[in-house]
Amino acid sequence: MAPLDAIARTSLLTAALRAEETERPDRLYQDPLAARLVGALGGDLLGQVADASGPRDTDPGQGDPGQGDPGQGDSGQGDSGQKVPSTVDFNAIRTRYFDDYLLTQVKDGGYPQVVMVAAGMDTRAYRLPWPRAIELFELDRPGVLEAKESALGDEPVHQRVTRRPIGVDLLGPDWMDALVTAGYRPEEPSLWLLEGLLYYLTDDETRQLLSRVADLTAPGSRIAADMVGATTLTAPAVAPLLQVFERLGCPWLSGHDEPEALFAEYGIEAEAVQPGEESAHYGRWPDPVHPRHVPDVERVFLVHGVRK
Ligand code: SAM
C-alpha cells in the first residue's frame, strides 16, 4: 500500500477526532468505525492539534448541552485558557451539521447521487440511516481509500447505499472522467460535500475545484463545504494551530471571508453559517461568535448552496 502524504494523513486526524467524540457521553454523533481507522498516527496528530488549540476543560461531564448561548460575543469561557478556536468542538459540530444536512437533503430532495469529495476516513456510507436509496461516490487519493478498505474489511455499508470509491488526484485533470466512468450521471441532481479540504488548497485550486463541481452538477444540485475566513490565516490567536499543520507538511493555504460571493461565481447560491450560530451550536461551541459585519476576526464557515 502506498504511503500516505501529509495531506492524506489528515484523514487519520479526522478519524481520531471522530473516535474520540464517539466516546464522549455528550457526543454529537456516533461513528463506531472511526476507532478502526485512526491507525498509529491518528492519535499522535490529534495530540498535536488538541495541544495547539488548548488547554481547555475537556471534561464532558461539566458541559451542559442544550443550554449553550448561541453566542453573540461572549463565550463565558474567558478563564478556560483557550488559545484558539477549538478544533475538537469544531470537528464535532461540523460532522453533526453535515450528517443532518445530508440526511435532510436526501429525504426531502430525493437526491439519488451523493459525492464525497476528499472522503478520507468518512464512514457516512456505513453509519448514517439513509432514508432513500443512494449511490455514494467517495473521491480521495488511492492510498487513502485502500487504507480505509483494508481497515474496514467487509464491513457492510447501509442497506440503501451503493458505495463507489474512486482513487484520484482532485487537482489533476482526470477525476471528473473517473467519476463518470464509475457511474455518476452529471445530468441528474446530486448532493456534494467538500469537508475538511478547501483550506489545504490554494485560492486557484479552490476555484478550479468549484468550477469543475459546477460543470458536473445539474441545476438544483446541492453543494456543501467547510472553509476558513481569510483572516484566520494571519490571526495571532490561530498561529499555534497553523504552525502545527505547517510542521506536518500540509499548511493551510487559503481562506475566504465571503463564501457566498465565492460560491456565486460558480453558479451556486449559498449560505454560510458559523459554528456557534443557532443552527450550528448543538450546545457545544465555546467561543465568541462574531457577527459577519465585524472585520478582521478569525472565522470558520459551514457553507451549503444550490446549483442554479
Ligand atoms: N472529508 C473527510 C472527512 O471529513 O473525514 C476527510 C478530510 S481530511 C482532513 C482531508 C482529505 O483530503 C484527505 O483524505 C486527503 O487525502 C484529501 N485530499 C487532499 N488533497 C487531495 C487531492 N489533491 N486529491 C485527492 N484527495 C485529496
Side-chain angles (χ1 to χ4, degrees):
M1 210 178 296
L4 304 184
D5 68 16
I7 296 191
R9 288 197 289 267
T10 65
S11 64
L12 308 177
L13 166 64
T14 311
L17 284 156
R18 294 196 177 126
E20 189 178 87
E21 178 70 14
T22 299
E23 291 296 306
R24 288 177 64 126
D26 64 343
R27 59 188 165 262
L28 297 189
Y29 60 85
Q30 289 196 57
D31 186 347
L33 299 176
R36 285 159 61 183
L37 296 163
V38 176
L41 199 57
D44 176 53
L45 295 175
L46 175 56
Q48 293 186 52
V49 165
D51 191 43
S53 64
R56 58 186 305 112
D57 179 2
T58 52
D59 178 1
Q62 310 228 333
D64 190 9
Q67 296 301 310
D69 178 344
Q72 299 303 322
D74 178 9
S75 71
Q77 305 255 335
D79 59 355
S80 71
Q82 177 73 17
K83 286 188 289 199
V84 303
S86 163
T87 300
V88 170
D89 294 324
F90 171 62
N91 198 276
I93 288 172
R94 179 181 85 179
T95 301
R96 171 64 186 274
Y97 186 86
F98 287 134
D99 280 4
D100 291 352
Y101 180 76
L102 293 169
L103 289 175
T104 299
Q105 292 305 330
V106 167
K107 178 166 170 280
D108 297 345
Y111 294 96
Q113 312 181 95
V114 177
V115 184
M116 312 295 283
V117 181
M121 299 300 167
D122 182 290
T123 61
R124 290 183 174 102
Y126 302 80
R127 70 177 173 82
L128 286 188
W130 295 98
R132 293 169 188 252
I134 55 164
E135 267 178 281
L136 189 148
F137 300 88
E138 294 191 0
L139 298 164
D140 208 299
R141 294 200 182 283
V144 171
L145 296 173
E146 282 164 26
K148 182 170 171 176
E149 269 144 39
S150 152
L152 294 185
D154 51 12
E155 186 71 35
V157 293
H158 184 271
Q159 56 186 356
R160 296 200 179 92
V161 173
T162 303
R163 175 175 174 265
R164 304 208 186 282
I166 311 165
V168 290
D169 177 4
L170 290 162
L171 301 180
D174 301 330
W175 69 264
M176 299 87 76
D177 285 347
L179 180 61
V180 172
T181 302
Y184 175 81
R185 301 168 302 284
E187 66 286 358
E188 289 183 25
S190 52
L191 180 57
W192 292 61
L193 180 60
L194 292 69
E195 185 182 23
L197 174 66
L198 295 182
Y199 26 84
Y200 298 112
L201 307 185
T202 64
D203 185 50
D204 282 353
E205 289 165 348
T206 297
R207 289 172 179 280
Q208 181 194 63
L209 190 59
L210 289 175
S211 167
R212 288 173 165 177
V213 170
D215 287 347
L216 281 164
T217 42
S221 297
R222 289 190 176 264
I223 297 105
D226 66 317
M227 60 197 318
V228 298
T231 308
T232 302
L233 301 178
T234 52
V238 191
L241 187 60
L242 296 177
Q243 284 159 13
V244 170
F245 286 102
E246 180 107 41
R247 203 168 60 232
L248 293 173
C250 46
W252 290 7
L253 298 176
S254 69
H256 288 267
D257 285 330
E258 299 297 339
E260 295 91 342
L262 175 69
F263 276 56
E265 288 183 42
Y266 302 94
I268 304 161
E269 190 176 285
E271 180 189 342
V273 174
Q274 299 183 78
E277 289 179 6
E278 197 171 348
S279 64
H281 192 287
Y282 303 103
R284 186 69 179 270
W285 185 248
D287 301 320
V289 181
H290 302 286
R292 289 286 292 277
H293 62 80
V294 177
D296 303 329
V297 292
E298 61 269 21
R299 300 179 191 283
V300 285
F301 295 110
L302 304 169
V303 188
H304 58 88
V306 63
R307 176 86 171 87
K308 290 298 174 189

